[in-house]
């Protein structure tokens, strides 16, 4: 049974799971789907074709599913937001729907923690267990790998890809791709090292040692980074190293790091 405050607006057609809570003066659109145990708090809004997975909490005045901030968008475009399970979207977070030319869907995975005033723009693809600290901002088409942490006040340029398990320092500005398992910071941000704390929490010692060796070869060599990555892909057996090298070989925006002379 759902608990809906008398002042909330829930349009006809909205689909509500078991034990959904909808707070005072909040809004849920006719196309929205709120799965079991979702909570929409005071003044929050869920618009358009938006699905929010079970046990997710949307805090006061967050706005989810509004049209993309894209000059080519038309009101009749079929665009969507899909949010997974057990997410926390704090006060004043905004998540925009996708665009037709960008695939039409903005996706957020499971177990993410998106802090106050953060923004996730159209067509972003956010993995699982991502943390965005206060005022972190994703422009359109950004991809964020699972287990990544983005520091507060950090904007990320459109089309940038941040790999799995990265740490992005607060008040950085990201305009190029950041490989998996790396730490990056600065304005403009550069790769500073491995995300040592993150990989120690998640990986076996042999994976950590392999990543450390690969990092030294990739980022401290005088060779072009893609040449080193190609060599490692041929000779390395560790899957985490291959994941990092594959990302580097596929980048379109380049990898920002301080090159050796």
């Amino acid at each position: 049974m759902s608990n809906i405050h008398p002042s909330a607006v829930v349009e006809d057609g909205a689909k509500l799971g078991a034990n959904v809570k909808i707070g005072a003066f909040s809004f849920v659109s006719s196309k929205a789907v709120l799965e079991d145990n979702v909570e929409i708090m005071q003044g929050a809004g869920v618009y358009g074709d938006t699905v929010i997975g079970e046990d997710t909490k949307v805090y006061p005045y967050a706005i989810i599913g509004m049209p993309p901030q894209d000059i080519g968008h038309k009101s009749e475009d079929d665009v969507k937001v899909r949010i997974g399970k057990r997410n926390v979207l704090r006060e004043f977070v905004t998540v925009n729907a996708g665009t037709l030319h960008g695939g039409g869907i903005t996706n957020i995975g499971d177990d993410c923690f998106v802090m106050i005033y953060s923004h996730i723009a159209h067509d972003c693809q956010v993995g699982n267990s991502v943390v965005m600290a206060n005022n972190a901002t994703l422009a359109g088409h950004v991809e964020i790998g699972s287990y990544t942490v983005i520091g507060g006040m950090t904007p990320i340029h459109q089309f940038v890809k941040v790999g799995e398990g990265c740490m992005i320092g607060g008040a950085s500005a990201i305009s190029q791709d950041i490989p998996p398992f790396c730490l990056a910071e600065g304005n403009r941000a550069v790769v500073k090292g491995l995300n040592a704390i993150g990989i120690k929490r998640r990986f076996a010692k042999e994976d950590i040692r392999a990543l450390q060796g690969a990092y030294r070869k990739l980022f401290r060599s005088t060779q072009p980074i893609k040449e080193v990555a190609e060599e490692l892909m041929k000779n390395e057996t560790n899957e985490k190293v291959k994941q990092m090298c594959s990302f580097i070989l596929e980048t379109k925006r380049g990898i920002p790091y301080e090159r050796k002379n």
Side-chain angles (χ1 to χ4, degrees):
M1 183 177 179
S2 297
N3 182 350
I4 303 172
H5 192 277
S7 66
V9 176
V10 179
E11 292 188 331
D12 291 342
K15 296 179 181 178
L16 309 182
N19 302 312
V20 167
K21 295 180 181 179
I22 300 176
F25 303 106
S26 54
F27 175 85
V28 179
S29 82
S30 62
K31 295 181 179 179
V33 177
L34 308 182
E35 296 183 354
D36 295 352
N37 304 309
V38 167
E39 184 173 1
I40 309 297
M41 299 185 192
Q42 175 185 337
V46 181
Y47 294 85
D49 186 347
T50 294
V51 177
I52 299 180
E54 61 188 52
D55 298 304
T56 290
K57 294 184 182 297
V58 179
Y59 277 69
Y61 307 107
I63 301 296
I64 313 300
M66 287 295 274
Q69 297 177 102
D70 180 272
I71 59 174
H73 174 72
K74 297 175 181 171
S75 59
E76 64 269 21
D77 289 348
D78 182 16
V79 292
K80 304 173 174 64
V81 171
R82 296 293 182 263
I83 297 174
K85 302 174 182 178
R86 300 177 300 278
N87 291 290
V88 174
L89 306 178
R90 290 300 301 262
E91 296 90 328
F92 297 99
V93 162
T94 51
V95 181
N96 290 165
T99 62
L100 290 184
H101 62 84
I105 302 178
T106 301
N107 278 304
I108 300 174
D110 301 331
D111 301 300
C112 296
F113 188 5
V114 184
M115 299 186 198
I116 293 170
Y117 281 108
S118 292
H119 175 65
I120 299 175
H122 59 84
D123 306 296
C124 285
Q125 308 297 313
V126 178
N128 300 320
S129 300
V130 170
V131 176
M132 294 176 61
N134 298 36
N135 292 277
T137 303
L138 308 185
H141 312 277
V142 166
E143 297 180 21
I144 304 295
S146 295
Y147 301 100
T148 283
V149 177
I150 303 170
M153 305 292 292
T154 294
I156 300 184
H157 193 282
Q158 62 192 28
F159 292 101
V160 160
K161 296 183 180 181
V162 177
E164 177 189 336
C166 290
M167 175 70 203
I168 308 299
S172 296
I174 312 295
S175 60
Q176 292 180 282
D177 296 341
I178 308 300
F181 320 122
C182 286
L183 180 152
E185 64 177 358
N187 186 358
R188 300 293 179 144
V190 295
V191 173
K192 297 289 190 177
L194 289 172
N195 178 13
I197 293 174
I199 63 177
K200 285 178 183 177
R201 286 174 176 169
R202 296 179 54 221
F203 298 152
K205 290 182 178 179
E206 55 266 29
D207 289 329
I208 295 171
R209 285 193 292 267
L211 284 169
Q212 289 169 336
Y215 182 89
R216 286 191 291 269
K217 292 176 182 177
L218 287 162
F219 293 99
R220 296 177 184 172
S221 170
T222 56
Q223 279 182 270
I225 191 171
K226 287 197 173 186
E227 289 184 9
V228 180
E230 286 176 353
E231 292 175 7
L232 286 170
M233 285 292 286
K234 292 176 184 176
N235 301 318
E236 183 60 60
T237 58
N238 184 273
E239 291 301 320
K240 303 301 181 186
V241 172
K242 287 186 174 183
Q243 182 180 345
M244 178 184 283
C245 292
S246 177
F247 184 101
I248 291 168
L249 291 171
E250 293 172 3
T251 181
K252 294 181 180 179
R253 298 190 61 84
I255 307 296
Y257 68 102
E258 296 168 344
R259 290 160 174 77
K260 299 292 183 180
N261 293 326

